[in-house]
């Protein structure tokens, strides 16, 4: 089941976020206290969405997004901040349900677009297209 995250999910969300950071950004430090504070702030914010994949009462996936006004046009846009599903729970419909819940949330608060990201080497084109997403921009990063 996909549901809104709650305070009781914090330990598992921190664990999953630490795994995500370790895989996605291996040069970045992982700080559980910092992650806990970030999740607490998102849960308290009216502009953030935090979802979990609940498997028998335990969070096994997490999805975070934020909605804000564009600096270029007076419209609201939603941006995915991170998504992680424990490897043992990948491959089913959970990710599709997370993406659909994200789009529904964004539409419900008046966003005119919702964006997703993908790490290099991990093609999510088919998955994203299945949910109505299409390529829009490519981001480049330089580690300094």
């Amino acid at each position: 089941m996909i549901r809104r995250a709650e305070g009781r999910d914090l330990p598992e969300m921190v664990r999953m976020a630490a795994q995500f950071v370790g895989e996605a950004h291996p040069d970045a430090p992982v700080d559980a206290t910092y992650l806990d504070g970030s999740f607490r702030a998102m849960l308290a914010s009216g502009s953030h969405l935090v979802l979990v994949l609940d498997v028998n009462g335990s969070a096994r996936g997490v999805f975070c997004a934020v909605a804000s006004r564009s600096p270029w046009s007076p419209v609201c846009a939603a941006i995915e901040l991170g998504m992680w599903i424990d490897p043992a729970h990948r491959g089913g419909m959970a990710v599709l349900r997370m993406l659909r819940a994200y789009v529904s949330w964004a539409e419900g608060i008046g966003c005119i677009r919702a964006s997703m990201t993908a790490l290099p080497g991990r093609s999510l084109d088919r998955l994203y297209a299945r949910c109505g997403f299409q390529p829009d921009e490519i981001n480049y990063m330089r580690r300094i």
Side-chain angles (χ1 to χ4, degrees):
M1 157 177 57
I2 305 302
R3 62 171 172 78
R4 292 278 185 128
E6 302 170 358
R8 67 184 171 102
D9 300 310
L10 283 165
E12 287 300 316
M13 292 189 320
V14 167
R15 176 192 60 77
M16 290 183 284
Q19 287 182 277
F20 170 79
V21 171
E23 283 190 22
H25 307 288
D27 58 337
V30 174
D31 182 321
T33 302
Y34 183 83
L35 290 169
D36 183 82
S38 292
F39 280 122
R40 287 179 187 277
M42 285 188 270
L43 289 174
S45 168
S47 61
H48 286 79
L49 172 69
V50 184
L51 300 171
V52 294
L53 166 61
D54 184 312
V55 178
N56 298 323
S58 185
R60 295 295 174 234
V62 62
F63 181 98
C64 301
V66 63
S68 66
R69 294 272 171 216
S70 167
W72 315 122
S73 180
V75 298
C76 184
I79 302 167
E80 173 241 355
L81 300 173
M83 176 173 58
W84 175 269
I85 296 177
D86 284 338
H89 299 282
R90 294 179 188 167
M93 297 296 290
V95 69
L96 292 172
R97 290 193 304 263
M98 278 185 168
L99 291 173
R100 289 177 183 139
Y102 166 50
V103 170
S104 178
W105 168 77
E107 287 175 337
I109 60 171
C111 291
I112 65 160
R113 66 178 54 205
S115 66
M116 292 296 299
T117 59
L119 297 172
R122 297 188 184 173
S123 177
L124 297 171
D125 293 347
R126 288 178 46 208
L127 170 66
Y128 289 167
R130 188 172 174 186
C131 292
F133 292 91
Q134 59 188 359
D136 185 51
E137 294 181 4
I138 297 174
N139 293 307
Y140 293 88
M141 179 179 58
R142 177 178 174 175
R143 286 176 169 66
I144 52 175

